[in-house]
């Protein structure tokens, strides 16, 4: 056997070796992927700011005697007034619950002045800190506390709200995964029009998702990163969205090379060399942007950063190793019935993006100004974003615990339905209690549990929960009691709002600087990176503006998530730059090939248009899946990111970036060497590549 034959044999073995390697990786990863749900944390403290007073209060409360108790409120209500039988039914149910569980103290009825409502505070230490035992206790109480004949009974309170929230987050994984897979599958079938090809990238994306779960579990065990239902759900969306994008780009280039080269392995090697750098730069930009979230103080944001980065990198690895191996082993027949035969020419079709480019070419400056004005006008809608969504309004479907809070708020307008918690140093407990009672806006204050260092004081505000008046009361208490800690559900929401604003001011510049540096290295220019960065920032503003116009009037939301501006910014800047990278990378390739910059801009738009449009639709659709989830913050984020991706795909990349490149000419590459090339008016003849090329 000659050396040439031996080399060819070894090369043919590469796909099989790669497939065998992935089988081994999957065997190792599968057990750990299944454990991610065990370390997923969806308590309030897992979403709170790491350094906030309310977070410290929640953690210290767990250490106080009885601090691990599950606190509930059983709310009984009848329109027109409670009857004697209703009150007897309520007391009987409370006695039954007390007989089944060891309660803290004896629950006593608190009737409303109107006579139509009463509630019983119920607490138990039985569940301890075990979330499963807590959920079981809440559900057992709900089985007993049932209304009939017009008497409504709702179980609320912190324990019930935690159980309802946990059920929502636990329910995300299945529906989110299935819906995402279905959406991607439908789009791939439409794009490829093949009974087999669509299945290959979908399977690889599923493997990438499983691998990302395993790696996330490893990161949690090693670095104790926060893993929540929100972060793992978004990671799944990102894996399928970004991973499918990379697959579309690679398969398009591979199909092209199959017409030029006889052996699939050679065609794949050329395809990887051609689009690999752009995919690598794209995934690196997204991962770097996600990791910038580590600078956030909000636990949910800082935990989302590494999980999202893991998802993107796992998608990159699988789509550039496992996918090529599978495609080579399946050969040309995977494209059936549209098999790209060796030596054949692709069917020439009228390019939609070529027509768009021609319209830009006629009046590039007018197109540039018009695009900027449209984005600026849309961004004005962001001023219409309503205040931060309240805890009881954060579900798209009202759970029982929220119904209980609403009933309490209506029946007891003279008092808050949830306490403000103050932790005072033991030696100052009496002074703090007196100062709290003397604070304007406080209805009542009582001393509760005491530990080795801290004493708990429960404060009832005069104003409803999370109202402006109650917020003012919390701020007065914090100003007045500087040696104590003020927490509780309302204080937590206030700290979430303040920390989100702080995180936005800190993280946004870091993301912009990171993305800009990557683009400068990739494009060897300063002007082009600044252009792309400004474009994606404009997309972010326009997307938030559209959200501000529809969240209240169309979706009926009572507010917006305080973390929406930051999270949507990170995702839209990191993901939006992707398509700019693909466009500019191809434009730079054309300039190096002999075209002047305006002509190269049109060529890049025409040749990258189809595949990047497909990729944008897939990415927008996968994030759009979040709009079907039962949490307002996920619906809002899914909407803003989806709209932003579509704006970036069909307005910014097609018109704004292309027209700006034509107006600037070679200056777009300043101060790199391409900006110093002499002007060329004659375009060298070359064989045009199909529109799918990137």
């Amino acid at each position: 056997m000659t050396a040439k034959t031996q080399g060819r044999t070894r090369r043919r073995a590469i796909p099989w070796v790669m497939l065998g390697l992935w089988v081994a990786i999957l065997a190792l990863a599968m057990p750990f992927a299944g454990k991610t749900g065990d370390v997923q944390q969806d308590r309030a403290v897992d979403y709170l700011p790491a350094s906030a007073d309310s977070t410290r209060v929640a953690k210290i409360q767990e250490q106080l005697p009885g601090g691990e108790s599950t606190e509930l409120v059983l709310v009984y209500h009848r329109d027109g007034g409670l009857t004697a039988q209703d009150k007897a039914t309520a007391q009987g149910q409370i006695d039954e619950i007390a007989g089944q569980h060891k309660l803290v103290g004896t629950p006593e009825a608190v009737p409303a002045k109107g006579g139509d409502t009463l509630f019983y505070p119920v607490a138990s230490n039985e569940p301890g800190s075990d979330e499963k035992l807590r959920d079981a206790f809440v559900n057992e109480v709900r089985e007993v506390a049932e209304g009939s004949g017009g008497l409504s009974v709702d179980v609320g309170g912190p324990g019930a709200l935690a159980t309802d929230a946990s059920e929502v987050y636990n329910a995300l994984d299945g529906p989110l995964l299935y819906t995402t897979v279905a959406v991607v599958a439908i789009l791939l079938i439409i794009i490829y029009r093949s009974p087999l090809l669509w299945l290959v990238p979908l399977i690889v994306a599923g493997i990438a998702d499983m691998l990302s779960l395993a790696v996330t579990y490893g990161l949690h065990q090693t670095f104790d990163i926060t893993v929540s239902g929100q972060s793992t759900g978004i990671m799944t969306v990102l894996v399928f969205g970004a991973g499918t994008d990379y697959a579309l780009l690679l398969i398009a280039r591979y199909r092209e090379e199959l017409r030029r080269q006889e052996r699939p392995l050679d065609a794949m090697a050329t395809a990887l060399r051609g689009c690999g750098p752009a995919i690598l730069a794209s995934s690196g930009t997204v991962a770097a942007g996600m990791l910038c979230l580590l600078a956030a103080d909000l636990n949910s944001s800082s935990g989302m950063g590494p999980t999202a980065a893991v998802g993107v990198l796992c998608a990159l690895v699988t789509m550039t190793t496992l996918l090529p191996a599978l495609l080579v082993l399946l050969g040309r027949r995977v494209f059936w019935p549209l098999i790209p035969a060796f030596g054949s020419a692709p069917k020439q079709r009228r390019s939609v993006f070529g027509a768009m480019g021609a319209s830009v070419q006629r009046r590039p400056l007018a197109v540039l100004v018009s695009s900027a004005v449209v984005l600026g006008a849309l961004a004005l809608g962001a001023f219409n974003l309503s205040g931060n969504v309240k805890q009881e309004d954060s579900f798209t479907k009202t759970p029982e615990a929220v119904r209980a809070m609403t009933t309490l708020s209506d029946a007891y307008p003279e008092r808050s339905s949830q306490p403000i918690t103050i932790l005072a140093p033991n030696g100052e407990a009496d002074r703090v209690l007196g100062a709290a009672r003397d604070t304007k806006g406080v209805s009542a204050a009582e001393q509760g549990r005491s530990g080795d260092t801290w004493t708990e004081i429960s404060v009832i505000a005069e104003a409803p929960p999370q109202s402006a008046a109650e917020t003012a009361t919390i701020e007065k208490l914090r100003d007045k009691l500087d040696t104590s800690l003020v927490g509780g559900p309302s204080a937590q929401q206030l700290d979430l709002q303040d920390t989100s604003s702080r995180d936005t001011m800190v993280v946004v510049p870091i993301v912009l600087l990171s993305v800009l540096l990557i683009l400068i290295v990739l494009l060897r220019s300063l002007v082009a990176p600044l252009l792309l960065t400004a474009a994606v920032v404009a997309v972010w503003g326009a997307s938030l503006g559209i959200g501000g116009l529809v969240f209240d009037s169309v979706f009926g939301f009572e507010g917006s998530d305080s973390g929406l501006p930051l999270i949507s910014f990170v995702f839209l800047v990191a993901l939006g730059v992707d398509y700019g990278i693909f466009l500019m990378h191809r434009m730079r390739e054309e300039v190096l090939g002999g075209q002047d910059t305006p002509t190269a801009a049109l060529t890049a738009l025409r040749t990258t248009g189809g595949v990047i449009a497909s990729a944008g639709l897939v990415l927008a659709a996968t994030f759009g899946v979040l709009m079907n989830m039962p949490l307002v913050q996920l619906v809002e984020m899914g909407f803003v990111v989806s709209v932003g991706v579509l704006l970036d795909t069909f307005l910014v990349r097609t018109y704004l970036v292309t027209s700006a490149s034509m107006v600037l000419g070679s200056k777009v590459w300043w101060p790199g060497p391409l900006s110093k090339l002499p002007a060329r008016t004659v375009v060298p003849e070359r064989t045009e590549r199909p529109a799918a090329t990137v």
Side-chain angles (χ1 to χ4, degrees), residues 260-337:
R260 299 174 177 169
Q261 304 192 46
E262 184 177 1
R263 296 184 180 86
L265 182 60
D266 296 335
M268 180 57 72
T270 305
L272 283 171
R273 286 194 298 269
C275 64
I279 293 176
L280 181 62
S282 168
S283 58
T285 303
V286 177
M290 297 299 111
L291 288 175
C292 290
L293 284 172
L294 286 170
D297 189 39
L298 204 63
N299 285 331
S300 56
S301 297
S302 60
M304 186 185 298
T307 55
V310 163
V312 171
L313 294 178
C314 287
L316 168 69
V317 171
T318 54
M319 292 303 173
T320 54
T321 57
L322 179 58
L323 178 63
L326 290 175
L327 290 174
V328 170
L329 291 175
L330 291 171
R332 299 175 187 271
R333 57 185 176 275
V334 74
F335 290 93
W336 186 87

Side-chain angles (χ1 to χ4, degrees), residues 39-42 46-47 169 226-233 300 304:
V39 300
Q40 183 174 305
Q41 300 169 323
D42 292 304
D46 300 314
Y47 287 80
Y169 281 113
T226 300
V227 180
S228 65
Q230 183 182 21
S231 62
T232 55
S300 56
M304 186 185 298

Side-chain angles (χ1 to χ4, degrees), residues 238-412:
L238 197 56
V239 167
F240 277 89
T244 305
D245 277 6
Y246 303 152
L248 286 168
L249 298 170
L250 179 61
I251 292 174
R253 190 64 175 260
Y254 175 55
R255 185 200 296 265
E256 172 191 342
E257 297 300 333
L258 283 173
R259 300 182 186 277
R260 299 174 177 169
Q261 304 192 46
E262 184 177 1
R263 296 184 180 86
L265 182 60
D266 296 335
M268 180 57 72
T270 305
L272 283 171
R273 286 194 298 269
C275 64
I279 293 176
L280 181 62
S282 168
S283 58
T285 303
V286 177
M290 297 299 111
L291 288 175
C292 290
L293 284 172
L294 286 170
D297 189 39
L298 204 63
N299 285 331
S300 56
S301 297
S302 60
M304 186 185 298
T307 55
V310 163
V312 171
L313 294 178
C314 287
L316 168 69
V317 171
T318 54
M319 292 303 173
T320 54
T321 57
L322 179 58
L323 178 63
L326 290 175
L327 290 174
V328 170
L329 291 175
L330 291 171
R332 299 175 187 271
R333 57 185 176 275
V334 74
F335 290 93
W336 186 87
L338 304 175
I339 298 176
F342 172 57
S344 64
K347 184 178 180 181
Q348 296 297 323
R349 295 175 180 163
R350 187 174 181 271
S351 172
V352 174
F353 289 92
M356 291 180 176
S359 67
V360 174
Q361 185 180 22
R362 285 192 291 270
R363 302 186 67 183
L365 183 58
V367 171
L368 174 60
V369 173
S370 300
S371 301
V373 169
V374 168
L375 291 173
L378 291 175
L380 294 176
F383 292 104
N384 198 47
L385 285 171
S386 51
N388 292 320
V389 64
K390 296 180 180 179
Q391 193 174 27
E392 62 265 29
D393 298 325
S394 61
F395 302 90
T396 56
K397 296 180 180 178
T398 306
E400 183 176 343
V402 172
R403 289 202 306 270
M405 292 173 61
T406 303
T407 303
L408 286 175
S409 180
D410 294 339
Y412 302 84

Side-chain angles (χ1 to χ4, degrees), residues 39 41 216 219-227 294 302-303 306-307:
V39 300
Q41 300 169 323
T216 298
L219 288 177
H220 172 80
Q221 296 298 100
T222 306
F223 301 104
D224 196 31
I225 66 168
T226 300
V227 180
L294 286 170
S302 60
T307 55

Side-chain angles (χ1 to χ4, degrees), residues 563-637:
L564 177 64
L566 174 60
I567 300 301
S568 62
F569 177 86
V570 173
F571 275 96
L572 283 177
V573 169
L575 294 171
V577 166
D578 276 12
Y579 301 140
I581 287 176
F582 299 142
L583 181 70
M584 282 290 186
H585 186 268
R586 181 58 191 267
M587 191 189 306
R588 189 174 187 277
E589 181 182 339
E590 296 299 334
V591 172
L592 289 172
Q595 294 187 2
D596 59 18
T597 298
T599 305
L602 295 176
T603 302
L605 175 62
R606 184 174 63 252
T607 55
T608 64
V611 67
I612 297 182
S614 299
L617 287 172
V618 169
L619 190 61
T622 51
F623 272 93
V625 170
L626 292 175
M627 296 173 61
N628 195 41
M629 298 297 106
L631 292 172
V632 168
Q633 56 263 41
L634 291 182
V635 175
E636 291 180 339
M637 183 169 63

Side-chain angles (χ1 to χ4, degrees), residues 508-521:
V508 164
I510 298 175
V511 173
L512 288 176
L513 182 60
S514 301
V515 170
L516 191 60
L517 289 176
I518 293 174
L519 290 175
I520 290 173
V521 172

Side-chain angles (χ1 to χ4, degrees), residues 421-453:
T421 301
I422 299 176
L423 291 181
N426 284 346
E428 300 184 25
D430 292 338
R431 181 188 68 82
V432 171
L433 179 60
R437 287 172 174 169
D438 293 338
T439 301
K440 184 179 180 180
V442 171
S443 173
E446 296 179 358
Q447 183 173 321
R449 298 168 299 180
S450 296
D452 296 334
T453 307

